[in-house]
Amino acid sequence: MVKTSSLQKTTPSEAVTSAMAADSGDEEELHTDPEQAISASEDEEGSDDERKHNKLLEAISSMGGRKRKKQSERSEASVQVSEFFVNAEGAGDKINLSDLLGVVEKTSGASNKTKKQLRNLQSTKETLELPLNKQQKEKIQRGIAYVKTAEEVSNWQNIIVQNQRADQMVFPLKQEPSGPKRVEQVVAGWKVKTPLEQEIFRLLHSNSQPVLDPVLTPVEEASLKAMSLEEAKIRRAELQKARALQSYYEAKAKREKKIKSKQYHRVQKKAKRKEFLKQFDEMVKSNPQEALEELKKMEMSRMQERMSLKHQNSGKWAKSKAIMAKYDDSARKAMQEQLQMNKDLTQKIVVLSEDEQEDKDEDLEAVPDFVNDPEPIVDSVNPWMRGQLTQEEPEVSRVTTEELQTAEEEKEDEEEELIGEFERKRKMRQADEEDLIPTEDKTEHVSEVPGEDVVEISDDDDDEDQEEEEEEEEEEEEEEDVSKFNTLFNLMRSEKTQEGQEDGEELLDEGQVRVRNMEDLEVLGEVFEQQPSATPSVPQTAVADKTSEPQNKKGISLSEVLTKEAKVIKVPFLPTVVEHEEMEHDEQISIIKEAFAGDDVISDFMKDKKKQEEAGRPKVVDLTLPGWGEWGGIGLKPSRRKRKRFTKKMDPPPPRQDRKLPDVIISEKRNASIAAHQVSHLPFPYENPAQFESTIRTPVGQTWNTQSVVKKMTTPKVVTKMGAIIEPMAKEDFIKGKSSTAAGKAPAIMLGQRDKRAKVGEKRTSQKKPGKRAPKRRKQ
Amino acid sequence: MAAQEELNPSHVEKKAKKKPAKRYWEETENTEQNKPTEEESKAEQKQKTSTATEKRKNAERSLSGKEDPFPGEKPIPQKQLRKFQRGEKHKVPARAGPKLKHAIKSSESLSELAQKQAARYGLMLPEDAGFLEGDDGEDTCTISQDDIANAVDITSGAKYFNLHLSQFGPYRLDYSRTGRHLLLGGRRGHVACIDWQSKHLMSEMNVMETVNDIKWLHTEAMFAVAQKKWLYIYDSKGVELHCIKKFNDVLRMQFLPYHFLLATASATGFLQYLDVSIGKEIAAICTKMGRLNVMTQNPYNAIIHLGHTNGTVSLWSPNQKEPLVKMLCHRGAVHSVAVDKTGTYMVTSGLDRKLKVYDIRAFKPFHSSFLPAGASCLSLSQRGLLSAATGDVVQVYQNVWGSSPVSKPYMAHRLRGQVCGVAYCPFEDVLGIGHGQGFTSMIVPGAGEPNFDALDTNPYRSAKQRQEWEVKALLEKVQPELIGLDPGLLSKVDQASFEQRHKERVEVMGFDPLAKQKFKPRMRKKGRSSAGAVEKRKRKVAHEDQRDEIRQTVEDKVKRQKEQKEKSNKRKELEKKSALDRFKK
């Protein structure tokens, strides 16, 4: 239905648009158009036409059926429809740089340089690269910071290594040479030497600062002289008073803070609010910036109030009161009060100059039925709310409903009416906006557009709004990104954790296995270790056997050894016993017999040795169980095959130490008692025991060394001087090329006198401060 | 300086016009500043004439201006250096890390310094040892003690003396570690301690019991006497300090000075160790070797050597219940054993009338010689002279461990009675002989170490010094656990396997700390802890370990089989390729 009507109207509307395109200010022609006669104001006509035209176009395009209906964009009404007879033509067009810069080219005031730059800018087709996102930027920054700090820290590497290796460290590191100093040296020994010191002195001199005994500058001296006793007294009294006041106020504040009464605080609050309102009026005049701030705060509180149900008789208390309200006046009053509070709080805060207030009042009286409209909100926090201003959907829907109700002929009238209504609404809104705009802007705009009541929203605000919007969007995007990341991360983490759990489970399993198998593993390890070792050991033993066999054959060699030819020693005096040989002849014979019954001794010894060897050899373990798999009982022996299968042979022990010494038995037992004192694990830098043993081969004690060597060997690694303050290493002391800060020591000037030192210190700090501030300023 | 001159007027304006008085320190400063310039010029000269010798000369210019003909430190002879070398020098491995390099280098440099310094301090050992030298054709062993005593100075001559103690002999003797004090113990109970150089009798008594052996403890203030039944400890005044009834039937004693251990060998075959510092028996070992009447110690590693009637010599430490080493030395009973100071050689004599020298480090016989009458007592001096007593004759041999076995004695001396004990006096050329008729002090030139370590054993120490030494010695006491064949074992890394160490730990602790606890089912209520239920629960975990082990072994087996298969496959592939394959196209 609508489409058909619009089709009918094509020709006149087209004409109108063309006319508008030709001359925006030409209103007479429009007036002549009969169809537009009813319209309330002229500017509305134009916009209306255009709207119709747009609608028509849309209808045509939709007739094709291919394209879907374009989603109507939400936009500000003022962009398309202007009330100042300004065409919104070309609103959607792009603005080229050349359009803006063309003016600059023409103006003579602009410098050639800037012109050139701008020209260059125009000619370059390259688009600026997208700025990196926050994460990447921060990553890069971190990387750079890391490199820098690493470099800085690595400067210490050498000195640290040196100190670690040093045989002895004596703390404090910077020690003055010991021994008494000559007084003259202490007092006057110092002279300006380094260029830095020279520089400092030059500075001091140029600023007529004292270098030697008089510590005060001439200015200071003068000021000292200038201040008389009375003045000083007055000043002191003032200071005292101020201090007393301060303490008094402090005490008061403390006391008040401690009061617990709710009533009191309520009253206090009210009083404060009143005070504030009073102040606010003043503030608007004196300090508009702050007032605006306050206004915003109030606005915020209003918003909160509007959002919440706090004072709307919906609470528990209010319900109870509502029951009581029928009978109790006070309850009714209380409820009323609450509602009043709500009203008060939700009331718009209006700060207007008086003349404008009147206008506004009139407006309000004129259009009272727009209370329920969506309110224009200055606050730009919610873009949707703002967008609602230009939203046409509800109106369209209303239009359709109304059209449904009315006849077709009346459509145009209706539309006109609608338009009129819309116009009024818009006006209202703008008025509202006006109200909300701070006074400053208003006055400016008023001055700009004198004689007219209409006020534009300032460009600045718009810009700000846009910026804010952008920021918000960015933030949203970021949030989205972050959320995406979060989800991704969560996913990954969950995967990981799953994996980790799986891993953990596996590990756990392993762990369990390990724990259980501790001994088993060892046993297995033995098995495995011994298996390879067994193979090489076999030939060894074989060799040993080979060698031992001939020895065994030569086993008699033992006796040979013992009966080895011995040289007879000629003795000058024969012992007197020999002289009495005849007397003890029998004894002698017996002794000799005993001696040469030596074979007995030898065989005993050999037996002993064999026994020892046997004991050292591991025994064969017989694990056969009689009666398993066959008949058992007395007189029945398990079969040979079975016995063979179940006897376990152990690996042969390492070869005995005494295998080549027939007349020696050396015990193979380990000396466990000394093992407790031995080093069981190789200490850190050493790679094999030989290295470590070589380093401890020289004894340290006095018994084996000369005094000086003992002293050197037992020098303590760290020596601290009693009572001395050990300060951390200073950079300038140890790292070359970093001595720029060495000036901080300022050795000479305060020789002897403490006060001077302090003063100089102050000076230093005061000198430093401006240096620190300077870059900040630049930044600003 | 120039900068200073520039500045001076500016910062002390008034004084600038005045010329500051000259101070003596300014002069010194100037001279100090001049010096370095001279040195620099010198350095330049050095660079110009860069020969090493000239450099040295320049550096070693003495005050008088003359050049030092022998610049630098006095070189140390290699022989001297080698004497103080401890172990082999260790080279820094090529691929060592910086820390290892530093550690090895620093330790090497330190030990080198120690060695050099020790060698340099050889200067402090001024005394030299000498020997008796006979005229042409004269045998040194024929020179009588009287002749020697007459020939030498009076103090040395006074070291030859006889104590006629015919009543309570035969005598056993012991010199204190410093060599000042002599302890005599007659078989029939006579005990006397004498400051033998001054011939001052410190105390004398009769214990009214058989005395088997006597020994000084760590100082000359105390001595131990092995009497008929128990072991007694007396002080130098002859007051009985202890009667130790744990030590019974002691026949021979040895005192280990650095461990403060008194080792005793008893007739019952027990070897016991008494810690003198804490008065505790450290170890009692049943040797199962019968009567132990031959005993000596190895001063190098504090191992006790026991001689047995079956011709064996056994080596003991308090840490092991069985002999460390047992060696068959003689075909008859062992009469006497002696070990030299360095712990390298052991000399034994036995019933088969043989005198044998063993290399105790390798347990190999070195020399063997036949004495017509055998030797009942042996003793080795600090410088390696061997004295052997046969009946009433004491012979002293030189070069016992030389290239060839000894053929004739260095000195000989006949005594009045049967010799019962011989001992060399430390740091003196004196051999003490205890015999049936008393005691004889015999001069043996070249027997004692001429230089003593005053911090360890100072023969001339005062009472105060002795006290101090005692404290230090007690502080430096070596624990008996460290006694072993190799005293350097302490400085070795213990390379025993983990199992071995664990076994020892279990032995020490009395339980296995790593042992798995037996599964004990938890107590449950409502009848669920009945015997059957408990048994069931036990069944569930039974053989868990075994199962695990089996699982593991099966897995390993499978793995191994796989590997083998792969190997064989590879081999097969290689075999398939013939040598002529490379000519194929």
Side-chain angles (χ1 to χ4, degrees):
Chain A
M1 300 260 286
V2 179
K3 286 166 199 170
T4 50
S5 67
S6 60
L7 269 173
Q8 284 170 354
K9 286 172 193 168
T10 42
T11 38
S13 64
E14 263 188 300
V16 169
T17 46
S18 61
M20 279 183 73
D23 187 12
S24 58
D26 199 12
E27 289 141 37
E28 316 313 310
E29 282 182 14
L30 286 173
H31 268 291
T32 53
D33 205 327
E35 282 170 14
Q36 302 288 330
I38 316 151
S39 62
S41 61
E42 292 101 333
D43 54 351
E44 277 177 17
E45 283 173 39
S47 63
D48 193 35
D49 272 354
E50 203 175 29
R51 202 164 63 84
K52 279 178 182 171
H53 176 67
N54 279 341
K55 235 178 212 175
L56 180 74
L57 285 177
E58 271 174 23
I60 292 162
S61 63
S62 65
M63 272 176 79
R66 277 197 179 178
K67 282 180 188 174
R68 277 185 191 174
K69 195 185 175 187
K70 244 188 190 176
Q71 195 110 30
S72 58
E73 257 179 32
R74 289 171 186 159
S75 58
E76 203 113 25
S78 59
V79 178
Q80 288 172 0
V81 187
S82 170
E83 48 203 321
F84 312 117
F85 315 105
V86 178
N87 260 352
E89 185 196 11
D93 289 352
K94 260 190 177 176
I95 296 168
N96 284 328
L97 191 62
S98 55
D99 298 340
L100 299 174
L101 297 180
V103 189
V104 178
E105 286 288 323
K106 282 161 196 167
T107 48
S108 57
S111 67
N112 282 330
K113 206 181 174 185
T114 47
K115 277 179 189 172
K116 205 178 180 183
Q117 277 180 341
L118 288 170
R119 245 175 272 140
N120 280 339
L121 200 71
Q122 254 178 293
S123 61
T124 49
K125 295 286 177 189
E126 284 176 14
T127 51
L128 284 175
E129 274 185 40
L130 217 72
L132 288 172
N133 64 8
K134 203 181 168 191
Q135 279 85 359
Q136 277 174 324
K137 219 193 308 178
E138 278 180 354
K139 195 175 176 184
I140 290 163
Q141 280 169 354
R142 262 181 277 135
I144 290 162
Y146 172 76
V147 168
K148 250 187 192 173
T149 26
E151 203 179 331
E152 214 165 88
V153 170
S154 68
N155 279 338
W156 291 91
Q157 189 64 34
N158 282 335
I159 185 75
I160 284 168
V161 168
Q162 205 179 310
N163 285 354
Q164 277 173 346
R165 283 194 185 163
D167 293 329
Q168 191 178 41
M169 294 287 292
V170 182
F171 291 107
L173 286 170
K174 275 191 81 182
Q175 272 184 329
E176 285 169 19
S178 59
K181 274 181 186 171
R182 274 171 278 156
V183 179
E184 293 88 347
Q185 262 187 333
V186 172
V187 175
W190 189 82
K191 272 172 191 170
V192 183
K193 275 174 194 169
T194 62
L196 185 78
E197 284 163 353
Q198 289 167 16
E199 197 70 34
I200 289 166
F201 269 94
R202 213 165 289 148
L203 263 175
L204 287 175
H205 285 300
S206 62
N207 294 335
S208 70
Q209 294 290 326
V211 175
L212 281 180
D213 204 8
V215 199
L216 300 170
T217 56
V219 182
E220 280 172 323
E221 273 173 22
S223 70
L224 263 182
K225 276 176 192 168
M227 195 182 270
S228 67
L229 185 65
E230 284 160 302
E231 273 178 332
K233 270 183 181 173
I234 290 160
R235 194 169 153 63
R236 208 182 69 170
E238 275 174 9
L239 280 172
Q240 270 178 342
K241 201 178 174 187
R243 229 174 288 138
L245 270 176
Q246 194 186 352
S247 67
Y248 165 71
Y249 277 117
E250 271 174 6
K252 195 184 171 190
K254 241 181 216 174
R255 203 176 57 238
E256 279 177 355
K257 203 186 167 191
K258 268 189 184 172
I259 294 169
K260 282 179 183 167
S261 163
K262 274 183 185 173
Q263 184 75 25
Y264 169 82
H265 280 295
R266 217 172 285 151
V267 170
Q268 200 80 349
K269 229 187 234 171
K270 249 182 200 170
K272 260 186 191 171
R273 208 180 294 149
K274 270 180 188 172
E275 188 100 333
F276 172 74
L277 277 174
K278 256 185 208 169
Q279 277 181 354
F280 186 71
D281 286 346
E282 285 172 11
M283 210 195 279
V284 168
K285 282 161 195 167
S286 62
N287 196 356
Q289 201 86 26
E290 220 162 287
L292 201 67
E293 208 83 2
E294 289 298 330
L295 202 69
K296 268 186 184 171
K297 258 187 212 168
M298 281 156 87
E299 184 62 26
M300 202 67 188
S301 73
R302 184 169 158 264
M303 269 168 66
Q304 273 171 351
E305 177 60 29
R306 273 160 58 76
M307 274 154 66
S308 72
L309 297 169
K310 203 174 177 185
H311 298 109
Q312 299 194 346
N313 283 353
S314 57
K316 217 184 212 175
W317 172 85
K319 274 171 190 167
S320 70
K321 287 283 165 189
I323 294 163
M324 297 286 289
K326 269 185 186 174
Y327 317 103
D328 196 353
D329 255 7
S330 64
R332 214 177 300 155
K333 225 179 190 178
M335 281 180 71
Q336 218 93 99
E337 265 178 21
Q338 211 189 19
L339 282 173
Q340 188 60 41
M341 177 84 101
N342 181 30
K343 262 186 191 169
D344 286 352
L345 277 170
T346 48
Q347 212 171 27
K348 274 186 213 165
I349 305 146
V350 180
V351 186
L352 284 173
S353 54
E354 289 169 350
D355 50 342
E356 281 172 354
Q357 211 164 8
E358 284 173 6
D359 289 3
K360 194 214 150 190
D361 284 354
E362 284 170 10
D363 279 2
L364 272 174
E365 280 167 6
V367 198
D369 37 345
F370 278 99
V371 183
N372 292 330
D373 268 5
E375 278 171 317
I377 296 164
V378 175
D379 188 57
S380 57
V381 174
N382 196 345
W384 298 109
M385 295 292 280
R386 244 155 48 116
Q388 239 166 2
L389 283 175
T390 55
Q391 203 171 21
E392 291 177 357
E393 277 175 76
E395 279 142 85
V396 168
S397 68
R398 207 181 279 174
V399 167
T400 49
T401 48
E402 279 172 0
E403 276 174 355
L404 277 170
Q405 286 167 358
T406 52
E408 287 182 0
E409 298 102 313
E410 294 172 19
K411 279 163 207 165
E412 289 171 2
D413 295 11
E414 281 169 2
E415 274 187 356
E416 278 169 9
E417 269 183 345
L418 269 173
I419 289 158
E421 213 175 60
F422 180 77
E423 206 62 32
R424 260 177 287 160
K425 268 191 214 170
R426 198 166 52 80
K427 259 198 173 177
M428 267 303 304
R429 248 175 260 141
Q430 277 184 344
D432 283 0
E433 277 174 1
E434 244 181 321
D435 297 346
L436 291 169
I437 292 159
T439 46
E440 265 192 351
D441 292 359
K442 260 179 250 168
T443 48
E444 280 175 20
H445 289 290
V446 165
S447 62
E448 275 175 17
V449 194
E452 281 185 298
D453 304 350
V454 193
V455 179
E456 259 191 353
I457 298 169
S458 70
D459 291 355
D460 296 4
D461 280 9
D462 254 357
D463 285 359
E464 276 175 14
D465 286 0
Q466 277 180 358
E467 277 172 14
E468 279 171 4
E469 268 183 8
E470 280 169 8
E471 277 176 10
E472 279 160 15
E473 280 169 8
E474 273 180 10
E475 278 176 6
E476 277 173 5
E477 278 175 5
E478 273 180 13
E479 277 174 6
E480 277 176 7
D481 284 359
V482 168
S483 65
K484 272 182 196 172
F485 272 121
N486 278 341
T487 46
L488 265 175
F489 181 69
N490 281 338
L491 269 174
M492 275 166 66
R493 203 169 51 176
S494 63
E495 280 171 12
K496 261 190 184 176
T497 48
Q498 275 180 357
E499 283 172 8
Q501 279 171 355
E502 284 164 12
D503 285 3
E505 279 163 14
E506 284 168 14
L507 282 173
L508 268 177
D509 281 355
E510 279 174 9
Q512 275 178 346
V513 168
R514 261 180 214 150
V515 170
R516 271 182 208 154
N517 280 1
M518 195 57 184
E519 292 163 341
D520 309 353
L521 272 179
E522 279 169 27
V523 171
L524 286 172
E526 278 176 23
V527 169
F528 276 104
E529 280 168 14
Q530 281 170 3
Q531 272 174 349
S533 66
T535 41
S537 69
V538 167
Q540 270 190 6
T541 47
V543 167
D545 287 349
K546 275 174 200 169
T547 50
S548 64
E549 269 174 40
Q551 271 176 7
N552 282 350
K553 278 175 195 169
K554 275 184 191 172
I556 314 142
S557 72
L558 186 59
S559 59
E560 276 175 27
V561 165
L562 288 172
T563 54
K564 198 175 147 189
E565 255 186 63
K567 261 196 179 175
V568 180
I569 301 167
K570 290 167 199 164
V571 182
F573 324 108
L574 283 171
T576 40
V577 187
V578 181
E579 285 167 14
H580 308 294
E581 203 174 349
E582 289 163 336
M583 287 170 67
E584 297 175 11
H585 191 251
D586 295 334
E587 202 188 24
Q588 198 72 341
I589 284 168
S590 71
I591 287 167
I592 288 163
K593 264 189 183 173
E594 200 186 335
F596 290 96
D599 284 353
D600 215 350
V601 172
I602 292 164
S603 63
D604 279 353
F605 187 81
M606 284 174 72
K607 260 185 213 166
D608 197 6
K609 189 168 182 182
K610 216 169 232 178
K611 220 196 249 173
Q612 288 267 335
E613 279 171 2
E614 283 299 315
R617 220 168 273 158
K619 277 154 198 155
V620 175
V621 184
D622 192 2
L623 292 170
T624 45
L625 293 170
W628 280 90
E630 60 194 5
W631 286 105
I634 300 160
L636 281 174
K637 273 186 182 173
S639 69
R640 218 172 137 197
R641 196 170 52 84
K642 194 178 165 189
R643 255 187 295 160
K644 207 177 174 184
R645 204 189 148 189
F646 283 104
T647 46
K648 267 192 179 174
K649 273 185 185 173
M650 302 307 249
D651 299 311
R656 285 181 70 89
Q657 281 175 289
D658 54 7
R659 65 186 185 280
K660 284 177 185 174
L661 302 164
D663 53 346
V664 177
I665 303 168
I666 299 173
S667 165
E668 293 289 324
K669 254 193 182 172
R670 203 171 95 88
N671 186 4
S673 61
I674 201 170
H677 303 275
Q678 271 177 311
V679 176
S680 56
H681 298 286
L682 207 60
F684 158 56
Y686 305 105
E687 285 162 347
N688 53 38
Q691 284 171 1
F692 176 63
E693 281 160 14
S694 82
T695 56
I696 58 167
R697 71 173 197 269
T698 308
V700 182
Q702 272 186 324
T703 319
W704 303 275
N705 287 311
T706 60
Q707 191 63 37
S708 60
V709 172
V710 170
K711 233 179 184 180
K712 197 171 182 196
M713 278 175 157
T714 57
T715 43
K717 185 91 177 145
V718 172
V719 174
T720 52
K721 203 176 164 193
M722 183 93 91
I725 298 165
I726 299 167
E727 273 164 354
M729 281 196 294
K731 207 174 198 177
E732 58 268 13
D733 294 344
F734 299 104
I735 297 168
K736 279 174 189 174
K738 303 267 173 181
S739 56
S740 58
T741 52
K745 276 164 197 169
I749 313 160
M750 51 289 208
L751 274 179
Q753 292 104 340
R754 266 195 171 178
D755 307 10
K756 278 183 186 179
R757 186 182 288 248
K759 286 250 162 105
V760 171
E762 282 168 16
K763 270 174 215 163
R764 231 191 302 143
T765 49
S766 62
Q767 279 175 353
K768 271 182 185 174
K769 270 176 188 169
K772 275 181 184 174
R773 272 175 200 165
K776 271 188 187 172
R777 270 180 203 160
R778 258 172 246 149
K779 272 176 193 172
Q780 283 169 358
Chain B
M1 290 296 283
Q4 277 181 39
E5 282 168 9
E6 278 175 18
L7 259 180
N8 268 336
S10 62
H11 87 85
V12 196
E13 282 173 331
K14 281 180 185 174
K15 283 181 185 173
K17 287 163 192 171
K18 242 194 208 171
K19 210 179 181 184
K22 253 197 176 178
R23 308 283 188 190
Y24 66 91
W25 61 84
E26 283 177 356
E27 275 183 299
T28 53
E29 266 185 15
N30 281 334
T31 50
E32 277 169 11
Q33 281 169 350
N34 286 339
K35 265 187 184 174
T37 54
E38 280 179 13
E39 281 177 5
E40 279 170 15
S41 64
K42 260 188 191 174
E44 283 172 9
Q45 281 177 7
K46 273 181 201 169
Q47 281 175 354
K48 279 172 192 169
T49 61
S50 61
T51 51
T53 50
E54 278 194 1
K55 252 189 195 175
R56 235 189 204 176
K57 277 173 191 170
N58 278 339
E60 303 294 334
R61 195 161 283 173
S62 63
L63 278 175
S64 60
K66 274 188 181 176
E67 282 180 10
D68 186 0
F70 305 108
E73 288 180 321
K74 189 192 166 194
I76 309 159
Q78 279 297 314
K79 201 182 165 189
Q80 185 88 350
L81 264 182
R82 218 172 295 132
K83 197 177 160 189
F84 292 97
Q85 190 173 4
R86 294 180 190 280
E88 284 297 305
K89 208 176 167 186
H90 200 275
K91 273 180 192 170
V92 181
R95 289 175 62 195
K99 281 199 171 165
L100 177 61
K101 249 183 208 168
H102 181 252
I104 291 176
K105 261 188 191 169
S106 61
S107 87
E108 282 303 332
S109 69
L110 259 187
S111 50
E112 204 170 307
L113 176 75
Q115 184 189 352
K116 263 187 189 170
Q117 288 295 315
R120 230 172 252 296
Y121 274 52
L123 269 179
M124 311 290 251
L125 310 172
E127 307 298 331
D128 210 1
F131 284 107
L132 195 64
E133 281 178 28
D135 296 331
D136 290 337
E138 193 189 17
D139 218 347
T140 47
C141 63
T142 55
I143 301 171
S144 71
Q145 284 293 310
D146 291 313
D147 291 343
I148 294 170
N150 286 333
V152 296
D153 57 314
I154 299 169
T155 41
S156 298
K159 284 169 188 171
Y160 167 63
F161 61 92
N162 280 304
L163 298 176
H164 298 284
L165 306 160
S166 52
Q167 272 181 316
F168 303 107
Y171 279 87
R172 289 202 48 89
L173 77 157
D174 186 36
Y175 284 103
S176 67
R177 282 193 72 223
T178 54
R180 286 291 291 199
H181 301 275
L182 174 68
L183 193 62
L184 288 174
R187 174 137 214 104
R188 297 187 185 97
H190 179 218
V191 174
C193 40
I194 311 159
D195 185 351
W196 69 269
Q197 278 175 338
S198 61
K199 314 286 188 306
H200 168 68
L201 184 66
M202 289 158 76
S203 72
E204 189 179 21
M205 61 173 170
N206 199 317
V207 295
M208 309 301 283
E209 236 182 354
T210 314
V211 169
N212 287 325
D213 201 4
I214 44 166
K215 212 81 198 170
W216 284 113
L217 297 186
H218 55 284
T219 61
E220 50 272 15
M222 274 192 285
F223 59 88
V225 179
Q227 293 177 21
K228 190 187 174 192
K229 195 82 180 152
W230 320 120
L231 176 70
Y232 287 82
I233 290 175
Y234 298 92
D235 76 348
S236 57
K237 297 269 159 40
V239 180
E240 183 188 316
L241 298 176
H242 300 288
C243 167
I244 304 164
K245 294 195 175 171
K246 256 193 174 176
F247 291 68
N248 58 328
D249 303 317
V250 175
L251 292 179
R252 288 286 177 269
M253 293 188 293
Q254 283 292 329
F255 185 71
L256 310 174
Y258 295 105
H259 302 78
F260 286 81
L261 286 181
L262 182 70
T264 62
S266 69
T268 55
F270 268 89
L271 173 67
Q272 284 166 296
Y273 286 87
L274 175 73
D275 193 325
V276 171
S277 63
I278 56 174
K280 213 172 124 186
E281 190 190 39
I282 292 299
I285 304 160
C286 179
T287 59
K288 297 171 194 166
M289 295 284 199
R291 196 179 154 84
L292 305 171
N293 59 352
V294 180
M295 183 192 204
T296 192
Q297 66 163 303
N298 185 343
Y300 170 66
N301 54 12
I303 294 286
I304 296 293
H305 293 230
L306 295 176
H308 306 289
T309 46
N310 61 358
T312 57
V313 171
S314 54
L315 278 59
W316 299 85
S317 89
N319 303 312
Q320 203 166 317
K321 296 286 179 196
E322 61 179 39
L324 302 173
V325 179
K326 208 164 147 188
M327 43 202 307
L328 185 60
C329 296
H330 294 278
R331 295 182 74 179
V334 178
H335 269 165
S336 186
V337 183
V339 182
D340 90 306
K341 197 180 71 175
T342 59
T344 319
Y345 301 103
M346 177 177 78
V347 184
T348 61
S349 70
L351 196 62
D352 56 356
R353 301 185 186 191
K354 272 184 182 162
L355 186 77
K356 288 195 170 179
V357 182
Y358 277 88
D359 183 350
I360 203 72
R361 294 174 304 184
F363 309 112
K364 275 179 181 166
F366 205 62
H367 294 312
S368 174
S369 48
F370 184 77
L371 280 172
S376 60
C377 291
L378 293 176
S379 179
L380 277 167
S381 85
Q382 282 174 327
R383 283 179 53 81
L385 294 185
L386 174 73
S387 68
T390 41
D392 60 349
V393 175
V394 171
Q395 291 144 15
V396 178
Y397 297 95
Q398 214 180 358
N399 282 330
V400 184
W401 37 81
S403 52
S404 60
V406 287
S407 55
K408 59 174 188 175
Y410 166 58
M411 286 182 83
H413 187 60
R414 186 188 291 275
L415 302 149
R416 288 187 183 176
Q418 198 78 7
V419 174
C420 188
V422 284
Y424 280 100
C425 179
F427 309 112
E428 291 285 350
D429 289 347
V430 166
L431 174 69
I433 304 157
H435 49 83
Q437 295 298 314
F439 169 79
T440 301
S441 174
M442 177 187 160
I443 297 172
V444 182
E449 176 68 44
N451 300 300
F452 55 85
D453 182 355
L455 291 173
D456 186 30
T457 47
N458 184 2
Y460 307 107
R461 69 187 174 193
S462 61
K464 192 82 189 164
Q465 279 173 324
R466 196 198 70 207
Q467 285 165 7
E468 271 178 21
W469 168 85
E470 201 171 351
V471 172
K472 276 179 191 163
L474 275 167
L475 287 173
E476 287 172 2
K477 180 190 150 189
V478 184
Q479 289 303 315
E481 293 95 71
L482 304 182
I483 296 175
L485 273 177
D486 181 12
L489 198 64
L490 188 63
S491 62
K492 298 273 188 304
V493 176
D494 185 18
Q495 283 173 306
S497 62
F498 174 76
E499 306 100 66
Q500 182 115 21
R501 243 178 268 157
H502 178 66
K503 219 187 275 172
E504 279 159 17
R505 203 166 147 218
V506 170
E507 244 170 59
V508 169
M509 292 173 81
F511 68 96
D512 191 354
L514 296 180
K516 213 196 142 203
Q517 281 198 339
K518 215 177 164 189
F519 175 69
K520 215 176 177 185
R522 196 152 52 89
M523 174 65 186
R524 282 183 172 161
K525 285 174 184 172
K526 295 182 185 171
R528 288 193 296 168
S529 211
S530 67
V534 165
E535 202 54 39
K536 256 186 197 170
R537 268 191 279 158
K538 271 187 187 171
R539 277 281 162 77
K540 275 180 196 167
V541 290
H543 310 300
E544 197 96 311
D545 302 344
Q546 274 186 349
R547 267 184 245 161
D548 283 332
E549 195 182 330
I550 289 163
R551 207 176 295 140
Q552 192 78 30
T553 45
V554 166
E555 276 174 19
D556 290 337
K557 221 181 211 177
V558 169
K559 221 185 237 174
R560 233 177 295 146
Q561 278 175 352
K562 247 186 193 174
E563 277 174 16
Q564 276 182 352
K565 241 185 196 176
E566 278 177 17
K567 263 187 189 175
S568 61
N569 281 343
K570 268 187 186 175
R571 217 175 286 158
K572 270 179 191 173
E573 279 176 17
L574 280 174
E575 278 170 4
K576 273 178 190 172
K577 273 185 185 173
S578 70
L580 297 173
D581 279 349
R582 57 190 147 157
F583 299 113
K584 277 182 185 172
K585 274 189 177 178

